[in-house]
């Protein structure tokens, strides 16, 4: 079974403007600036066998402020520039009461089904508490990147940036999760 690393898009993979304590996600391709420093950590995770899956709440689609076609153009670019295996999107706003909008776990459980993921070995990485909450509900681990949006929910580790998050995951992955076959069983085989 494969494991995945779920990565929040806004603020982690692309830059966002902030107004006070609010992140303002890009509304058109011209405003969509991908963080080049994300490439190496993602490559390391993939090399270690993880699927890299982007998750994103984009309520501006439901609000009519972000045309779906424009969002698709951003995500086409994201796929070309960064080594990612999939993008999971919630286009709804809070009043739609969907279960894919994080902190709902819908995007995570959908991915678990689609890619047959081992959620116990999977991780979510974000600068926002909503991802840690969704990860907890979906039964996977979570790491938060220090930001004003960390909240106070359960998370498994706290780091300063995506590179450190990848490093942590690779440490966790190291020998701890490898199933060792008892010697007696090997001799019988
Ligand atoms: Zn949704």
């Amino acid at each position: 079974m494969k494991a995945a690393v779920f990565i929040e898009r806004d603020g982690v993979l692309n830059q966002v403007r902030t107004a006070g304590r609010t992140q303002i996600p890009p509304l058109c391709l011209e405003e969509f600036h991908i963080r080049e420093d994300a490439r190496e950590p993602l490559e390391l995770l993939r090399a270690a066998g993880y699927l890299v899956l982007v998750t994103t709440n984009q309520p501006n689609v439901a609000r009519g402020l972000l045309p779906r076609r424009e969002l698709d153009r951003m995500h086409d670019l994201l796929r070309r520039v960064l080594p990612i295996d999939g993008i999971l999107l919630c286009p709804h706003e809070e009043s739609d009461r969907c279960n894919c909008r994080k902190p709902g776990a819908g995007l995570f459980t959908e991915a678990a089904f689609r890619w047959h993921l081992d959620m116990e070995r999977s991780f979510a990485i974000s600068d926002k508490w909503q991802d840690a909450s969704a990860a907890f509900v979906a039964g996977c681990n979570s790491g938060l990147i220090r930001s004003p949006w960390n909240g106070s929910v359960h998370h498994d580790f706290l780091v300063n940036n995506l590179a450190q998050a990848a490093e942590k995951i690779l440490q966790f992955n190291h020998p701890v999760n490898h199933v060792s076959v008892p010697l007696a069983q090997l001799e019988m085989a």
Side-chain angles (χ1 to χ4, degrees):
M1 258 174 133
K2 279 229 161 203
V5 180
F6 297 97
I7 302 188
E8 156 70 344
R9 196 200 80 169
D10 290 320
V12 181
L13 299 182
N14 59 275
Q15 288 161 6
V16 284
R17 289 185 298 127
T18 52
R21 290 176 68 85
T22 310
Q23 283 193 353
I24 304 175
L27 290 178
C28 61
L29 188 64
E30 289 66 33
E31 292 176 1
F32 190 62
H33 301 294
I34 296 171
R35 298 183 54 152
E36 293 284 337
D37 60 352
R39 186 192 323 249
E40 196 184 337
L42 300 189
E43 274 169 0
L44 289 172
L45 290 170
R46 272 182 132 193
Y50 288 99
L51 283 172
V52 171
L53 301 175
V54 179
T55 63
T56 186
N57 286 351
Q58 293 299 326
N60 286 327
V61 175
R63 291 172 193 146
L65 300 171
L66 171 60
R68 184 56 196 261
R69 209 165 53 98
E70 199 65 15
L71 184 62
D72 289 344
R73 288 172 69 202
M74 293 180 205
H75 288 173
D76 286 345
L77 182 66
L78 194 66
R79 278 194 200 86
R80 282 201 303 274
V81 173
L82 295 179
I84 56 183
D85 297 289
I87 300 174
L88 297 143
L89 164 74
C90 168
H92 310 112
E93 58 179 332
E94 206 161 359
S95 59
D96 290 333
R97 300 188 170 278
C98 66
N99 57 26
C100 50
R101 180 175 160 82
K102 299 178 286 184
L107 296 181
F108 292 63
T109 51
E110 179 196 325
F113 179 76
R114 183 166 154 199
W115 279 280
H116 305 286
L117 297 176
D118 180 347
M119 293 301 266
E120 281 184 28
R121 285 173 45 235
S122 296
F123 289 83
I125 299 300
S126 178
D127 59 349
K128 302 175 196 75
W129 65 268
Q130 284 88 342
D131 294 81
S133 279
F136 187 73
V137 172
C140 69
N141 310 287
S142 61
L144 285 174
I145 297 171
R146 277 194 183 82
S147 81
W149 304 284
N150 286 162
S152 54
V153 299
H154 169 85
H155 53 277
D156 295 287
F157 60 86
L158 181 66
V159 290
N160 291 319
N161 53 47
L162 181 60
Q164 285 181 7
E167 212 173 287
K168 268 274 197 241
I169 291 171
L170 298 176
Q171 280 168 11
F172 274 117
N173 184 42
H174 198 43
V176 191
N177 290 323
H178 286 202
V179 179
S180 57
V181 181
L183 201 58
Q185 226 170 301
L186 278 177
E187 284 167 355
M188 272 161 45

